[in-house]
Amino acid sequence: MPELRAKIFAPARDPLWSAIAAVTVSLVLSFLAIASTGRDPLAGFGYLISGALGGPGPFGETAIKSAVLILTGLSVAVAFTVGLFNIGAEGQLIWGGLAAAVAGRVCPWPLCLCAAAAAGAVWGFLPGVLKVRRGVHEVISTILLNWIAIHLVHGWLVAGPLAAGGTASISVAGTEPIERAAWLPRFFSQSRLDVGFPLALIVAAGIWFLLTRTSRGFEWRAVGAGQEAARAAGIPAGRRICEAMALSGALAGLAGGLLILGTEHKYPGVFRTGYGFDGIAVALVGGGTAAGTALAGIFFGAIRAGATRLQLVGIHPSFAELIQGMAVLLVAAPRIFQPLFAKLRPTPQPAASTTPVPTVQP
Amino acid sequence: MNALDLSGIVKRFGGAAAVDGVSFSVAPGEVLALVGENGAGKSTLISVACGLYRADAGEVRAFGAPLPPGDPRAAIDAGIGVVYQHFMLVGPLSVWENVVLGREPRRSLGVIDGERARREVREAAERFGLELDVGARVEMLGVAAQQRVEIVKQLWRGARVLILDEPTAVLAPREADELVRTVRALAAGGRAVIFISHKLREVLAVADRIAVLRRGRLVQLTPRTETSAGQLAEAVMGKPLAAAPEAAELGLFSAPSRQGAPVPHPTAIPSRGSDILFEARDLACLSDRGRPALHGLSFNLARGEILGVAGVDGNGQSELAEVLTGLRPSSGSLRLNGAEGWARTPAAARAAGVVHLPEDRHRRALCLPLSVEENLALGHQRAPPYARGALIDRKGRSAKARALIAAFDVRPPEPLARAADLSGGNQQKVVAARELAGGPTPRLVVAVQPTRGLDLGAARRVHDALRETAAKGAGILLISLDLDELRFVCRRILVLYEGRAMGDAPPAASDEHLGRMMLGQPGA
Amino acid sequence: MNAILDFAPPLVLAALGGVLSERAGVVNIGLEGMMRFGAFAAAAGSIFSGSPWVGLLCGALAGAASAAVHALLSLRFRADQVVSGIALNLVALGLVTYLLQSVFGSAGVSPPAPALPRDRFGHTAMAYAALLLPVLFHLWLSRTAVGLRVRAVGEHPRAAATLGVRVLPLRALCVMGSGALAGLGGATLSVGILGQFDSRMPAGQGFMALAAMVFGKWTPLGAAGAAFFFAAADALQRQLSFSLHAADLRLEGIFLALPYFLTLLVLAFGIGRTRAPAADGVPYEPEGR
């Protein structure tokens, strides 16, 4: 899929504005949705905000969820830079979580995070190499790999060989708990805020530096912007794709590690987070850039944290997914807003891009 | 009554008018030729005529009745059929399915009457003497056969106005002659034909009247008998020939070259064999479809020589360029400066000093979403001044980009503009700047159709840059489908046929001579 | 065998939906979401009308309606088709749970819905539909005029357009038909198999249908065959977990992962041509140049 980024984001001309417009419209729509079912939308939004930002406790929840979303979002965004659509962050996250849970039995947390990243990297590398060597479309292969990971980990490893107690009884309790030294350190007693959030921000800054300031990052972007042109320029496109996909997987694996080491403290029997799919939303709303992804991650983390309090007005927390989904629907189709932008800022397009370019299409 | 009337057609893209108030008519039994440079609006105009585009102003009438704008079906029903330059054929479908698509003979329940369809298609082809295997899958056919499918497609639909868009661009000279005969026969049978081309010689052979488009406007419409190649060329260019020596470069003014070679070529042919830079022996490779594309190709190239490669499209030229730039594996011997093994990967070829102006610059040369500056760094991205260690040298890169933009007159002179927003000519200037001047002096330049789609100024700039690079001692391989471009720039022309060298010829060789070689007869 | 005919219909229908959309050139990652809308609408329709047939109709309509959003975004607004499909899945996840809670007061399951009747072999009508539809679909695609146009539009839309085929409306219809099939598949889950809606539905069946479509090389018969094969693997695994000791349940995951693994293998090392329609996922611009 050459020029994937361009295809997705270019029509917007201005990803920031279309993201803001999309998020605003989706918030308005969800406000109306709450009102339409006879509930008090103001109270609902009040709970949403207080659940996200009202004090150290909620703030810690927001931070935890944001950290994971930033990482899975970066995972998808890094894959975008080489022109691949990584729908497999969920599977990579699962392997990362499992690796962290296993390593957590014997190692301190930094090593556990390395293990998580490595496991995710392997699961991210696979679709990369399948694409490069066998031409398997990554959208299909990552979907398949997600389900392979889900079934192998949940249906077999965690239920069987790695189950706590090792008894023959059907265990839904997950793996043995990890050692105390493997727990992510927390900063405050009354909040679950741990090192995950600052770590995610540091990683985001690192990704920004990698993509915009290093030659390697430039080569990745060149491969994503025009694979054939990059190849003809001597860049080994296949290798760059595999590298970026491994990094993409590592980021998602790291997110899984944060979840296990920070909050679960073991690999639970049921661990269907959906964070991997949310990462797609975060990366898309974030315009595929590191900074945008970090901002979008924090925003959706706050929505997710706040949504748990929506239950107080009788709304299921999955309402957060609705807001997120609508935002993506709107970001996905930036042309919806184009007439609006055209009115706001009537900037004449450069003549060169509109005059017919008499070149021969393949 | 006229078969087709266009009156006051205007079509804009964004702000710019691609077609600006064009009116003309074609009568049944008449062949009208439409000529003009690339980008003059020929293709846009026919897209309006056949309902594919909706005109911003003006009216299309077929046999007196106005056509609803933007409705291809109505145009088809009115008897307008177009054979596009890029064939509109669905590869995996069979010939007959392609012909009847959209107008399928049916039995009950919407089921296609395949037997009837096959029979009718076969009959339509036979009636006009066009040879076709109606059951074959279209993607398995050669170019000329695919063009026959396109023509039969329109005739089976009862097209009474046939529009042919650059129909000879993909054909060998002999096949083109065949097509001209077919077109005359169709006109004799009462059909109106619009024949689009930029080859004036062909146009003078086939047309009754000739319309000239320039920058979206109709600048001249004359009977063939009242014009000449020279006069037409002036109309196409918009200035007297004396003021436009580039005319020959674009193949507009090619008629005189039939007799000999009045086209100027800059300097004397250097003695071959002296100071050999590059040598290919028994080169062979496969095409994308796994068929032999080159077999047993041998030639050499001297330092400072510009060697032209001529041939009908698809005789191994693209593959040759890819082999030399490391993009396609090959067997045989390739020596550059006496060394072998430099063409295994694009990176190795680059390191050996091979640069590439590819045929498909959108796909092969440019990362369109990236900036001009980034595109200028592509391929040199790890070397100073573009980088320092593993990091991008932002100042050095920007300074170098500005210097290249100035030297090659890229417009707008804005390093941060997206490459996609540049015109085709300026995009090619970016590619030429990067390849020829962006890094160390190249040893071997592989340029494929480097001026296709460019205006005269940009084409001249590219040719000058190639000459300058040759003057510095590089060998240049210029692959082009345009004989006149080759004649103008090269000192020697190598003719490829089915992946082999048919021999070489001086630029002064006649069209007939080169044409015979392009069809597989060894040169004298 | 009975179990296969029970499990297969949702997969078969959704896989056919995938084939319909992608053969017309529109990637449909949103099958999962469309099935979810269909499953919920069918349960709701069945509960409120008292007739499972009305439920089925509601399911198909809901699937088609959600597919219309996909068509609108990806065809009218040229959104990336993968993104649009994913967004649809996300919306389905949140919106259906929200509706479930709003309408039935529980975010877990709906009240029992009137289920489709079973014949004396224990099959619902959907089992026979799953056997018959692939053949009809195959004949339609390969023999009829509209089928020819769908294939052309998925391979080379501009060529079809020059012959007067209206590309975008045809694609939109195919996407909506795809949604109707997926919705029907979802409806089979709720009013056909379980007799109620469960908020976890369709639990990845939409993605499995996508895998079946790829496994079946984008052909109706192939996709249906793959769907039956996947359903058989599923049934076999359940059979085993009933008949063997509980300890063997630990291997359940390997069985469940098998269809996906095989699909991946076929894609990577497959025999014969596994090629998506040439214009699959490529937006069509009527005045593109």
Side-chain angles (χ1 to χ4, degrees):
Chain A
M1 201 185 284
E3 293 167 37
L4 178 94
R5 264 166 78 101
K7 224 174 72 195
I8 296 176
F9 300 113
R13 287 262 159 195
D14 206 341
L16 178 67
W17 285 108
S18 87
I20 289 175
V23 165
T24 312
V25 172
S26 67
L27 284 175
V28 169
L29 285 177
S30 48
F31 189 87
L32 295 176
I34 296 178
S36 72
T37 50
R39 301 184 179 93
D40 181 358
L42 280 178
F45 269 69
Y47 284 123
L48 197 64
I49 291 167
S50 72
L53 304 168
F59 188 76
E61 296 307 304
T62 295
I64 286 177
K65 295 188 162 64
S66 300
V68 176
L69 288 175
I70 289 171
L71 289 175
T72 52
L74 288 173
S75 164
V76 177
V78 165
F80 274 154
T81 58
V82 288
L84 264 65
F85 212 134
N86 179 15
I87 306 203
E90 185 78 11
Q92 294 143 16
L93 179 146
I94 285 173
W95 283 111
L98 186 72
V102 172
R105 304 278 301 139
V106 288
C107 304
W109 63 270
L111 284 177
C112 297
L113 286 180
C114 292
V122 171
W123 213 243
F125 176 76
L126 280 178
V129 79
L130 282 172
K131 168 103 178 182
V132 170
R133 285 286 161 82
R134 315 289 322 175
V136 181
H137 199 296
E138 79 281 359
V139 167
I140 299 283
S141 66
T142 50
I143 287 176
L144 296 171
L145 285 166
N146 276 344
W147 290 94
I148 292 174
I150 288 170
H151 289 308
L152 282 185
V153 172
H154 295 170
W156 175 44
L157 290 172
V158 173
L162 298 176
T167 60
S169 68
I170 302 170
S171 169
V172 287
T175 63
E176 300 271 4
I178 58 174
E179 295 296 322
R180 206 52 208 244
W183 290 26
L184 289 187
R186 290 183 180 168
F187 296 116
F188 310 105
S189 55
Q190 71 274 44
S191 161
R192 296 208 290 168
L193 175 68
D194 56 33
V195 296
F197 184 63
L199 191 71
L201 291 181
I202 291 168
V203 169
I207 297 289
W208 170 82
F209 186 81
L210 175 70
L211 293 182
T212 61
R213 292 291 183 269
T214 68
S215 301
R216 180 61 54 106
F218 173 70
E219 292 184 0
W220 286 4
R221 287 190 295 126
V223 168
Q227 189 175 326
E228 274 302 307
R231 197 167 82 90
I235 297 171
R239 198 180 304 162
R240 295 292 174 268
I241 286 175
C242 291
E243 288 166 5
M245 282 304 289
L247 177 63
S248 169
L251 291 165
L254 203 56
L258 290 189
L259 281 170
I260 298 301
L261 305 176
T263 47
E264 302 285 347
H265 298 147
K266 65 171 181 175
Y267 198 97
V270 177
F271 187 60
R272 293 286 290 280
T273 64
Y275 278 117
F277 289 109
D278 296 337
I280 301 166
V282 171
L284 287 172
V285 174
T289 66
T293 303
L295 284 176
I298 293 172
F299 176 75
F300 284 124
I303 297 261
R304 261 201 173 213
T308 51
R309 288 219 181 161
L310 278 179
Q311 274 168 311
L312 295 173
V313 284
I315 298 172
H316 194 261
S318 67
F319 198 72
E321 263 137 19
L322 180 57
I323 298 177
Q324 206 167 286
M326 284 193 294
V328 178
L329 273 181
L330 294 167
V331 165
R335 291 189 193 210
I336 291 178
F337 299 118
Q338 238 172 17
L340 179 71
F341 290 145
K343 263 184 212 152
L344 287 177
R345 288 177 301 141
T347 45
Q349 294 192 322
S353 68
T354 50
T355 47
V357 181
T359 46
V360 178
Q361 298 292 316
Chain B
M1 189 190 298
N2 283 322
L4 186 70
D5 290 289
L6 302 177
S7 49
I9 302 293
V10 178
K11 176 68 190 172
R12 295 188 189 89
F13 290 101
V19 174
D20 194 2
V22 173
S23 309
F24 62 78
S25 310
V26 202
E30 183 189 36
V31 179
L32 178 102
L34 199 55
V35 299
E37 287 187 66
N38 286 316
K42 296 169 295 184
S43 297
T44 308
L45 189 62
I46 58 160
S47 293
V48 170
C50 70
L52 213 52
Y53 292 171
R54 189 182 282 267
D56 295 309
E59 193 183 42
V60 182
R61 285 171 174 270
F63 299 97
L67 289 181
D71 186 352
R73 189 175 277 272
I76 295 167
D77 290 342
I80 299 175
V82 184
V83 173
Y84 292 91
Q85 184 179 5
H86 305 288
F87 299 149
M88 292 294 172
L89 295 170
V90 185
L93 300 185
S94 68
V95 169
W96 71 266
E97 283 176 316
N98 268 285
V99 172
V100 302
L101 179 64
R103 223 182 227 211
E104 307 82 359
R106 302 178 189 200
R107 289 186 298 212
S108 57
L109 290 172
V111 175
I112 300 175
D113 187 343
E115 213 168 296
R116 190 177 130 208
R118 274 188 291 270
R119 192 184 63 236
E120 288 185 6
V121 173
R122 200 177 301 121
E123 283 168 6
E126 279 164 4
R127 192 157 60 243
F128 297 96
L130 297 163
E131 192 186 318
L132 267 190
D133 172 5
V134 295
R137 269 228 313 272
V138 160
E139 61 196 0
M140 308 305 286
L141 299 178
V143 178
Q146 291 192 353
Q147 190 174 59
R148 290 198 291 274
V149 178
E150 284 283 36
I151 293 174
V152 169
K153 193 161 95 179
Q154 300 310 333
L155 297 176
W156 177 82
R157 269 150 220 277
R160 290 177 293 165
V161 180
L162 204 60
I163 305 178
L164 303 169
D165 186 8
E166 302 269 359
T168 54
V170 292
L171 300 182
R174 186 165 297 173
E175 292 166 335
D177 291 346
E178 186 70 33
L179 178 73
V180 165
R181 271 196 292 280
T182 305
V183 166
R184 288 308 327 177
L186 290 170
R191 285 177 176 73
V193 180
I194 298 181
F195 190 96
I196 296 167
S197 179
H198 62 253
K199 297 182 185 163
L200 301 185
R201 197 179 340 127
E202 233 166 61
V203 160
L204 287 166
V206 77
D208 298 310
R209 286 191 301 151
I210 299 167
V212 179
L213 276 190
R214 191 171 69 231
R215 300 188 177 195
R217 289 173 182 276
L218 182 69
V219 293
Q220 173 177 321
L221 180 54
T222 44
R224 173 188 46 185
T225 47
E226 291 171 21
T227 183
S228 67
Q231 193 276 324
L232 278 176
E234 290 188 359
V236 167
M237 311 271 308
K239 46 188 163 180
L241 276 179
E246 307 95 321
E249 281 181 61
L250 291 193
L252 289 166
F253 187 53
S254 55
S257 63
R258 296 208 120 178
Q259 279 76 41
V263 187
H265 55 92
T267 41
I269 299 168
S271 57
R272 292 180 213 165
S274 71
D275 204 11
I276 294 286
L277 167 78
F278 168 86
E279 201 178 356
R281 286 284 163 272
D282 290 325
L283 206 54
C285 75
L286 297 178
S287 71
D288 286 338
R289 289 186 182 179
R291 300 197 192 131
L294 295 178
H295 40 171
L297 175 63
S298 302
F299 66 97
N300 52 30
L301 181 61
R303 268 173 238 285
E305 184 183 11
I306 303 181
L307 173 65
V309 176
V312 177
D313 200 9
N315 273 281
Q317 298 99 316
S318 311
E319 288 84 358
L320 174 61
E322 289 172 357
V323 164
L324 296 187
T325 50
L327 288 161
R328 185 178 289 274
S330 65
S331 64
S333 147
L334 279 175
R335 281 175 177 276
L336 180 63
N337 255 357
E340 292 222 36
W342 47 272
R344 269 198 286 268
T345 66
R350 256 173 207 279
V354 180
V355 300
H356 189 193
L357 276 70
E359 188 173 9
D360 182 352
R361 53 184 167 263
H362 279 177
R363 201 171 74 93
R364 272 262 155 86
L366 293 169
C367 293
L368 292 174
L370 299 188
S371 68
V372 169
E373 180 181 323
E374 288 173 314
N375 272 290
L376 285 169
L378 198 65
H380 313 299
Q381 71 276 0
R382 285 182 178 275
Y386 304 98
R388 239 180 344 201
L391 300 186
I392 296 169
D393 181 347
R394 287 155 53 84
K395 274 194 196 130
R397 189 173 83 174
S398 170
K400 178 78 178 176
R402 283 177 193 283
L404 287 173
I405 286 171
F408 281 78
D409 189 28
V410 176
R411 288 181 224 171
E414 177 47 68
L416 297 183
R418 280 190 343 146
D421 290 340
L422 263 54
S423 69
N426 283 297
Q427 287 174 340
Q428 185 70 336
K429 286 185 207 161
V430 169
V431 176
R434 175 182 77 204
E435 298 293 312
L436 301 177
T441 309
R443 280 212 182 97
L444 174 64
V445 178
V446 180
V448 189
Q449 306 257 64
T451 57
R452 179 159 67 170
L454 302 198
D455 61 36
L456 296 177
R460 163 175 266 188
R461 174 82 51 176
V462 170
H463 284 160
D464 286 348
L466 287 175
R467 286 196 194 96
E468 284 159 21
T469 313
K472 287 182 199 157
I476 310 235
L477 199 68
L478 174 62
I479 300 176
S480 178
L481 297 178
D482 188 340
L483 288 183
D484 297 301
E485 178 181 29
L486 294 176
R487 283 203 178 95
F488 188 66
V489 183
C490 303
R491 298 158 186 195
R492 187 160 68 100
I493 297 173
L494 178 78
V495 180
L496 280 192
Y497 174 72
E498 292 191 342
R500 265 183 221 137
M502 295 316 295
D504 53 13
S510 69
D511 265 13
E512 277 76 12
H513 181 75
L514 287 170
R516 269 201 307 278
M517 285 166 75
M518 285 162 71
L519 285 179
Q521 294 160 14
Chain C
M1 188 62 208
N2 273 339
I4 298 174
L5 276 180
D6 228 23
F7 293 134
L11 265 187
V12 171
L13 291 169
L16 290 181
V19 173
L20 179 56
S21 171
E22 303 220 350
R23 283 304 281 267
V26 183
V27 167
N28 194 350
I29 303 278
L31 284 178
E32 177 90 357
M34 296 173 191
M35 283 183 89
R36 184 169 171 82
F37 279 119
F40 175 75
S46 178
I47 289 168
F48 289 121
S49 73
S51 158
W53 302 106
V54 175
L56 274 189
L57 185 67
C58 290
L61 288 177
S66 58
V69 175
H70 180 45
L72 182 75
L73 287 179
S74 59
L75 299 175
R76 169 78 177 80
F77 292 113
R78 319 274 196 283
D80 182 83
Q81 295 170 3
V82 175
V83 174
S84 165
I86 286 171
L88 194 68
N89 288 339
L90 287 172
V91 169
L93 210 57
L95 186 59
V96 169
T97 313
Y98 181 70
L99 289 175
L100 182 65
Q101 197 178 29
S102 303
V103 177
F104 297 115
S106 150
V109 291
S110 75
L116 292 177
R118 290 172 185 266
D119 66 6
R120 59 199 167 91
F121 306 107
H123 304 316
T124 66
M126 299 319 286
Y128 300 103
L131 287 172
L132 197 61
L133 255 174
V135 179
L136 291 179
F137 189 4
H138 167 75
L139 291 175
W140 175 79
L141 194 62
S142 62
R143 296 286 164 80
T144 66
V146 183
L148 175 65
R149 292 175 188 189
V150 168
R151 285 183 285 146
V153 158
E155 293 284 347
H156 194 336
R158 188 161 300 279
T162 59
L163 300 178
V165 176
R166 289 159 44 118
V167 175
L168 292 179
L170 184 60
R171 281 190 166 179
L173 278 179
C174 287
V175 172
M176 285 162 71
S178 164
L181 283 165
L184 211 55
T188 312
L189 286 173
S190 62
V191 301
I193 297 172
L194 194 63
Q196 68 180 161
F197 178 77
D198 180 314
S199 74
R200 284 169 298 183
M201 279 178 186
Q205 296 246 26
F207 291 114
M208 201 179 217
L210 215 56
M213 173 194 79
V214 176
F215 199 94
K217 300 181 181 180
W218 285 268
T219 64
L221 294 179
F228 271 107
F229 171 66
F230 289 0
D234 202 14
L236 184 65
Q237 170 263 325
R238 288 179 201 229
Q239 209 78 54
L240 282 178
S241 63
F242 281 128
S243 58
L244 297 178
H245 294 296
D248 295 304
L249 207 68
R250 291 167 175 181
L251 298 178
E252 176 188 289
I254 296 181
F255 258 101
L256 289 172
L258 206 59
Y260 300 104
F261 185 66
L262 285 178
T263 306
L264 202 55
L265 279 188
V266 164
L267 271 179
F269 308 102
I271 311 137
R273 181 188 86 128
T274 43
R275 194 183 69 93
D280 201 7
V282 184
Y284 176 69
E285 306 260 358
E287 300 211 343
R289 350 188 62 224

